[in-house]
Each structure stands twice: as C-alpha cells, then as structure tokens.
Amino acid sequence: MAPVAMVITKGDENRIVEVNAAFKSLTGYTDHALVDRLADDLQLWNDAAQRVELETEIRERNGIRGHDVRLLHKNGETLDCLVSAERISVDGTPCVVWLYQDISARRRGELELVEAIDAVMKDANWLSRSIMDKLATLRNPRASAGTTPPTTELSKREREVLELICQDLDDAAIATRLDLSRNTVRNHVARLYAKIGVNRRSAAIVWAHERGVGA
C-alpha cells in the first residue's frame, strides 16, 4: 500500500523476498521476476560497485539514509532515486528493508537548467558565487550530502590559473597577474580544461567550487 517503492532482502547476499506495488511500477518487473532473485541477476543497479559499498555500510551501521543511486528499469531506462535502508529481522531471519524515492523528473529539470545556463554563457563574470555554488550542487548532488567529489592532481601553476579564473579574471588579466604571455596562459588553460574534463570557464568554476578551490 505504501506509495514509496519498497523491497525486503534477506541474508548476506541480499536476495529479494518481498516487493511492493510501487517498486514493481517503478522498475517494470512483476513479483515472479523479482522474488528470490539478486539485484545483479536483474541488473537493477546501474552501478553495482556502489550497491556493494552501500550494502557494506548497512552491515556496519545497520542502515543508510538518502543516498543518490541510479536504478535500471526493465526496459533499460535509468531511474534517479534516493535510497534509504535499514536492517530488520523477519521471523528471526536477518533482512534489509529498502526504500526508493524516484527523483528522475526533478533531476532532469535540474540538469536541463544547468545545460541551459551553460549554453548561453560565454563567461561567468556576471554570476554570483552563490549561484555558482548552487550549480555545483546540481551537478554533483552527493557533495551536498557531505561526500567530497573526487579530486584531480593539479600542478602549482594550474592551480594558480584556476584560482584566478574563479576570481573572474580573463586570460589577459591572468597573464598580467602571473607575468606570463597571453599565449602561455591560453596553453595553461587548455591543459587545465583537459585535465578536469571541462570545456568552458563556467564549468571550470563549478568544478573548482565543488572541491573548495578558489573559495
């Protein structure tokens, strides 16, 4: 009856023993296809390694709350969800009850907003720091939950260039500040973009703010 998708699994391997109607509606599977199966059998999780990490955390802490995960619908469509879970006992058997909140529509709206802003921006000079911080949160929701995004090893000069980009300096101003030629600065910026996986200043600023660079 619960409107939130729910699953009960048992044992260390977390074999599915019970699902509710909301979970079947969410994933497109029937009781027959789900019960007594493992998540890996059905490829329910887009990232199986993340599921293993969360299962380990459940064993160690007896539960998890509000983790961003991605499930796969029976037809292959990805589903952005928030998952919570808690260890329980059913007739003396160790089990875990999982709750999945579908946030796919919300996440699509957030990403569309970010893409729209990126599409019209040639530079981020007019954006306030608070807006850039919000964009960083939209791009990486796990950061808002206290998970630090992975870092990339930057050289001292690359970090200096990135910090100056975050101060809204253009290539000419950065060249003056660092006593470099403008062409050298362009080369540093190009290598920086390639290293952190972005192609515009606004994205570089978001990347930096996610990791506390230039804050």
Side-chain angles (χ1 to χ4, degrees), residues 158-178:
E158 288 166 344
R159 190 177 182 91
E160 288 175 341
V161 170
L162 182 57
E163 288 175 347
L164 292 175
I165 289 174
C166 290
Q167 295 175 28
D168 299 334
L169 272 65
D170 59 18
D171 289 353
I174 292 173
T176 300
R177 181 74 65 87
L178 298 179

Side-chain angles (χ1 to χ4, degrees), residues 121 123-129 131-133 135-136 139 161-169 192-193 196 198 200-215:
M121 283 196 323
D123 205 313
N125 292 343
W126 57 279
L127 283 179
S128 70
R129 180 176 296 272
I131 292 177
M132 296 308 298
D133 288 340
L135 286 176
R139 284 192 181 275
V161 170
L162 182 57
E163 288 175 347
L164 292 175
I165 289 174
C166 290
Q167 295 175 28
D168 299 334
L169 272 65
L192 173 66
Y193 284 3
I196 66 177
V198 303
R200 56 175 67 88
R201 298 179 90 82
S202 59
I205 294 172
V206 170
W207 187 95
H209 285 192
E210 288 176 351
R211 292 155 179 82
V213 178

Side-chain angles (χ1 to χ4, degrees), residues 18-213:
E18 194 76 43
V19 297
N20 70 347
F23 186 81
K24 289 184 287 184
S25 176
L26 176 67
T27 61
Y29 288 98
T30 62
D31 281 322
H32 177 73
L34 290 166
V35 173
D36 204 34
R37 304 290 297 278
L38 301 177
D40 286 344
D41 293 340
L42 302 165
Q43 295 185 320
L44 274 175
W45 286 59
N46 185 61
D47 186 346
Q50 182 190 18
R51 175 184 54 76
V52 172
E53 291 177 0
L54 294 180
E55 288 177 349
T56 300
E57 186 174 345
I58 292 167
R59 285 194 294 271
E60 293 174 349
R61 302 185 180 181
N62 291 320
I64 56 173
R65 294 288 183 275
H67 285 259
D68 274 275
V69 302
R70 183 166 284 177
L71 296 186
L72 293 175
H73 190 275
K74 182 181 178 181
N75 64 13
E77 177 187 356
T78 57
L79 304 165
D80 289 299
C81 297
L82 291 179
V83 62
S84 298
E86 188 164 328
R87 288 169 63 90
I88 61 173
S89 177
V90 178
D91 296 329
T93 301
C95 295
V96 176
V97 58
W98 303 76
L99 287 79
Y100 296 90
Q101 179 185 355
D102 184 9
I103 58 170
S104 300
R106 187 181 82 189
R107 186 57 43 76
R108 281 194 298 270
E110 292 171 348
L111 293 179
E112 286 170 3
L113 172 62
V114 174
E115 290 169 2
I117 292 174
D118 276 345
V120 300
M121 283 196 323
K122 291 183 179 179
D123 205 313
N125 292 343
W126 57 279
L127 283 179
S128 70
R129 180 176 296 272
S130 64
I131 292 177
M132 296 308 298
D133 288 340
K134 289 176 181 177
L135 286 176
T137 300
L138 291 179
R139 284 192 181 275
N140 187 22
R142 293 187 191 177
S144 64
T147 302
T148 302
T151 58
T152 299
E153 190 67 32
L154 301 179
S155 68
K156 180 180 178 182
R157 180 64 79 190
E158 288 166 344
R159 190 177 182 91
E160 288 175 341
V161 170
L162 182 57
E163 288 175 347
L164 292 175
I165 289 174
C166 290
Q167 295 175 28
D168 299 334
L169 272 65
D170 59 18
D171 289 353
I174 292 173
T176 300
R177 181 74 65 87
L178 298 179
D179 195 23
L180 299 172
S181 72
R182 190 167 181 177
N183 190 54
T184 298
V185 169
R186 286 200 189 103
N187 290 336
H188 281 308
V189 171
R191 284 195 294 270
L192 173 66
Y193 284 3
K195 183 174 286 189
I196 66 177
V198 303
N199 58 12
R200 56 175 67 88
R201 298 179 90 82
S202 59
I205 294 172
V206 170
W207 187 95
H209 285 192
E210 288 176 351
R211 292 155 179 82
V213 178

